[in-house]
Amino acid sequence: DILYCLLTGKIIEKYPDRKRALVYGAMPNGIPLHIVCDLNQRGVLVIATCYIPDNRQWKKSQRRKRRSKRNVQRNTRRLIE
């Protein structure tokens, strides 16, 4: 499934300072998948992690939802406590 998503998916976020990208793809059964890929010093693609995106954080599994100021404050309070 991961290889299929890499071959048929698309890059939705790039992190050039880390030589990293986030790839979105749909598995053959239709379930979306995010794959975080790094490019090592030899130019070899390394899969750092993959996960099924959370609908609360992503629009159509491809774009991040904006976080409301209220949610940011609530999450910050949880970290402090």
Side-chain angles (χ1 to χ4, degrees):
D1 289 343
I2 295 170
L3 183 57
Y4 178 82
C5 288
L6 285 173
L7 294 173
T8 61
K10 65 180 181 177
I11 295 173
I12 58 173
E13 290 185 0
K14 293 180 181 179
Y15 312 101
D17 55 321
R18 297 183 68 189
K19 295 184 179 178
R20 176 173 276 192
L22 176 61
V23 177
Y24 161 79
M27 294 185 276
N29 60 6
I31 296 174
L33 187 68
H34 282 182
I35 307 161
V36 179
C37 302
D38 293 329
L39 197 60
N40 73 10
Q41 292 177 345
R42 295 182 183 169
V44 176
L45 185 72
V46 177
I47 297 172
T49 190
C50 59
Y51 59 91
I52 297 172
D54 185 342
N55 289 337
R56 295 172 294 184
Q57 297 176 357
W58 295 89
K59 292 181 182 180
K60 297 184 180 180
S61 300
Q62 298 179 43
R63 290 188 13 204
R64 289 186 191 271
K65 290 183 179 178
R66 290 185 179 216
R67 294 175 62 182
S68 71
K69 190 174 184 178
R70 183 178 177 183
N71 285 341
V72 170
Q73 290 171 344
R74 185 181 310 139
N75 290 338
T76 303
R77 258 188 262 127
R78 285 183 194 157
L79 289 173
I80 294 171
E81 295 175 348

